[in-house]
Amino acid sequence: MATVASISGLSTSLKTGLAFLTCLPLPHAAPELRSGIALAAWTFPVVGALIGAFAALIYWLGYTIGFHPFVAALLTVGATLTVTGALHEDGLADTADGFGGGRTRERKLEIMRDSRTGAFGVSALVLSILLRAAAISSLAEPALVAPALIAAHAGARAMLPLFMWLVPSARQDGLAAEAGRPPQASVIASALLGLGALGLCLGPIGALIAVLLLVAATALMAWLCKRQIGGQTGDVLGALEQIGEILILLIASVWL
């Protein structure tokens, strides 16, 4: 009976992670989803690996058809935008607009909640898409692109539970506040899964370089968001994921 309950719990967590990080049509009530995000945080790198594998398939199809590697890479990035509902890209744009355009903490948070995208946000999105597409296309061969994409999507999302655990929410409401702080076990499991994905896909040295840069990026973002808005929000988490994804893809483009 305990085994059945344990399997059911794992299934629910994975379902919650998929419903949160993708826009796949999964039957999951919004209140149940938000309240379970913290507990399901360990699944973030698992969902990321699935997204990376899907992206690798799209790249392989484009490359096999005969598209130029950069065109196939752009289609690949576009496919991940579609399957995730541009969740992290939206966070990146809002964070760039808020941090770059607001003078006070209150004004920054207000801008980050505005559905409109400003110059800082557009610039950040363009740079993110181009950097990712350029890194992917520089690898060219699907056999090299696949591990790079899986490492990038899994590794970048593996940082998020740790960030949620370390940095308090900047608001009393909103997704980050409602999700709450992940349990320590979930944070450790996410980190280990992310580390495993990086090691398998990039090798020991490549994984070590990636981890060092991800830790530095996480520390810098923690300092920056505390200084700018007094804590983290869902938008900041999205921006951190994008930074991590870009870093890992750039490492892969050199290392692989």
Side-chain angles (χ1 to χ4, degrees), residues 24 28 31 41 44 68 101 144 153 156 164 177 194 199 203 205 209 212 221 231:
L24 296 175
H28 216 308
F44 288 4
H68 186 279
L144 297 178
H153 285 277
M164 294 167 68
I205 305 300
I209 296 170
L212 291 175
M221 182 61 85

Side-chain angles (χ1 to χ4, degrees), residues 19-81:
F20 175 55
L21 294 175
T22 74
C23 57
L24 296 175
L26 299 172
H28 216 308
E32 182 184 353
L33 168 61
R34 293 202 170 195
S35 62
I37 289 173
L39 290 175
W42 67 269
T43 67
F44 288 4
V46 178
V47 176
L50 293 175
I51 295 170
F54 168 73
L57 174 62
I58 298 301
Y59 183 85
W60 175 80
L61 287 172
Y63 187 86
T64 302
I65 289 170
F67 289 143
H68 186 279
F70 188 70
V71 175
L74 282 174
L75 291 173
T76 300
V77 174
T80 62
L81 287 171

Side-chain angles (χ1 to χ4, degrees), residues 118-198:
F120 286 106
V122 171
S123 299
L125 283 176
V126 171
L127 282 172
S128 173
I129 292 171
L130 288 179
L131 282 171
R132 284 180 287 165
I136 293 167
S137 65
S138 71
L139 291 165
E141 293 294 331
L144 297 178
V145 169
L149 286 169
I150 292 171
H153 285 277
R157 287 166 177 82
M159 299 189 298
L160 304 185
L162 175 62
F163 197 82
M164 294 167 68
W165 188 76
L166 289 173
V167 185
S169 175
R171 295 190 180 103
Q172 296 301 312
D173 60 345
L175 181 60
E178 291 178 25
R181 193 184 191 203
Q184 192 173 19
S186 193
V187 173
I188 294 171
S190 176
L192 291 176
L193 287 168
L195 183 60
L198 290 172

